[in-house]
């Protein structure tokens, strides 16, 4: 059965691939699962039909037969359980890969999202300029720890896994800030993720929706 | 094999049960799995021996034979896969429970942690008082959505699951703010979680370490 995901009718990033549907597209491309996409407007995201699928009014969602899922991490685990290629077979290695999925979404991404909030939502507040370095330093704490753990390895724990897929996706948000370039091994890690054919197909698919000329 | 978790030698909350080891204790109590605890000082958490277990220098960690895990969400999934009682047997219901785990840790908890940062870390900054209502309103957005979804149900999706365990744990952080009381069904939901015998045992176990007189 072909799953259907939702994505922004027009992504706020204009096709840079930072919207979370790109993460699910990437996972589906890694395992070779075709999918359909239903585009949702900002207004429709807050209406009852979409809230029934996603209680927090966001994208992506994932529908497959009678199953409706939200939360990118849960969608990626669901895909990984039905297809080889995203989580290791060995139980201990699989548990560690899931740890990196949670690390990406609940330890590394929140301070990175705070930077967007500080710039976009609070950018015109009187404290914006003085507060920004504090927010950036909190990101540096996490990047320094992640950089130390990665070292000169290609991926976080052995072969590429769903943990890397989400961590690379989270770090991509930092490109325009310049922060990533302070940690050359993390910048190279992100570049390795972007070079994967599955990522490139996922990126192209979202760009086809969001390109300025599209 | 008895797993060993780590916890604060002295929790910053003085035994209110908000440190993340309580979540893992609760999961282990729900499934009836005995465990050992190794207490870690703030200094030791940032030293190489602990960073080898937890790259971000936090607690809890989980060790069991040759497996070392970090990230509470991953630890709870690991426990749930080895014991009945935390995730449904049915595949679709299981995927939805995992969605609520991610929702708790990466959608609902981040704005709640921002409130702690605003009060504790930035509390003496010139913008602290004026910025606080913005931070609280971001929490209200999430609580309003969660409250609407929960309605008058006991738990988020059918029977109690690891998704409820983490969501209740996250919401408990709000008790002292008064925000929870603005959503009576969420306050009752949290109280249902706290009333579970497994939660009470977990709470008592962390209190024995952290009570002011302890």
């Amino acid at each position: 059965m072909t799953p259907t995901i939702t994505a922004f009718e027009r992504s706020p990033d204009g096709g840079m691939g930072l919207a979370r549907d790109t993460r699910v597209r990437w996972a589906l491309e890694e395992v070779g699962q075709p999918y359909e996409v239903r585009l949702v407007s900002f207004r429709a995201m807050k209406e009852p039909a979409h809230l029934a699928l996603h209680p927090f009014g966001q994208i992506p969602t994932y529908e497959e037969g009678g199953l409706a899922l939200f939360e990118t991490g849960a969608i990626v685990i669901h895909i990984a359980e039905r297809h080889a290629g995203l989580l290791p077979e060995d139980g201990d290695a699989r548990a560690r890969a899931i740890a990196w999925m949670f690390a990406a979404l609940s330890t590394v991404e929140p301070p990175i999202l705070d930077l967007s909030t500080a710039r976009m939502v609070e950018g015109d507040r009187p404290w914006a300029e003085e507060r920004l370095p504090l927010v950036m330093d909190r990101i540096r704490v996490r990047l320094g720890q992640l950089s130390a753990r990665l070292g000169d390895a290609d991926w976080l724990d052995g072969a590429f896994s769903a943990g890397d897929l989400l961590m690379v996706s989270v770090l991509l948000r930092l490109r325009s800030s310049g922060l990533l370039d302070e940690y050359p091994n993390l910048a190279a890690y992100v570049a390795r993720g972007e070079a994967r054919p599955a990522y490139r197909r996922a990126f192209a698919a979202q760009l086809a929706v969001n390109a300025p000329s599209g």
Side-chain angles (χ1 to χ4, degrees), chain A:
Chain A
M1 185 175 309
T2 305
T4 298
I5 68 169
T6 49
F8 288 122
E9 187 177 65
R10 187 150 294 271
S11 174
D13 73 0
M16 289 173 62
L18 303 181
R20 292 183 177 92
D21 61 288
T22 304
R23 304 172 185 190
V24 174
R25 293 174 189 268
W26 185 4
L28 290 163
E29 291 286 354
E30 287 283 350
V31 304
Q33 170 66 54
Y35 60 98
E36 291 178 0
V37 181
R38 189 173 67 250
L39 302 179
V40 189
S41 69
F42 289 113
R43 196 179 63 188
M45 285 169 62
K46 309 303 178 191
E47 289 175 352
H50 189 74
L51 288 170
L53 291 174
H54 196 313
F56 302 103
Q58 300 174 324
I59 59 93
T61 58
Y62 178 100
E63 291 161 87
E64 184 188 24
L67 173 64
L69 271 187
F70 65 105
E71 286 291 339
T72 305
I75 294 168
V76 171
I77 285 185
H78 174 78
I79 295 166
E81 289 189 343
R82 268 142 196 80
H83 304 272
L86 287 173
L87 287 174
E89 290 287 317
D90 172 71
D92 284 2
R94 184 175 178 280
R96 291 196 304 269
I98 292 175
W100 283 114
M101 295 179 68
F102 279 100
L105 298 177
S106 58
T107 298
V108 177
E109 188 163 39
I112 292 175
L113 291 178
D114 283 346
L115 181 58
S116 300
T117 303
R119 282 182 165 156
M120 312 289 185
V121 184
E122 299 183 20
D124 61 350
R125 297 286 175 159
W127 57 76
E129 190 179 351
E130 191 181 348
R131 189 171 169 269
L132 205 57
L134 275 66
V135 177
M136 293 181 76
D137 279 346
R138 280 177 212 138
I139 298 173
R140 286 189 181 97
V141 169
R142 291 291 176 243
L143 295 185
Q145 293 163 325
L146 185 66
S147 172
R149 170 55 72 102
L150 179 65
D152 58 5
D154 277 357
W155 306 112
L156 287 166
D157 192 342
F160 174 84
S161 81
D164 296 298
L165 187 153
L166 291 179
M167 190 66 81
V168 166
S169 298
V170 161
L171 295 177
L172 272 168
R173 289 190 184 272
L174 286 175
R175 173 152 295 152
S176 64
S177 73
L179 277 171
L180 202 53
D181 300 319
E182 298 178 15
Y183 305 86
N185 68 333
L186 295 183
Y189 169 68
V190 169
R192 267 190 297 280
E194 290 178 292
R196 292 179 71 85
Y199 177 81
R200 296 165 72 101
R201 288 193 295 272
F203 183 87
Q206 65 78 35
L207 186 62
V209 176
N210 290 300
S213 62

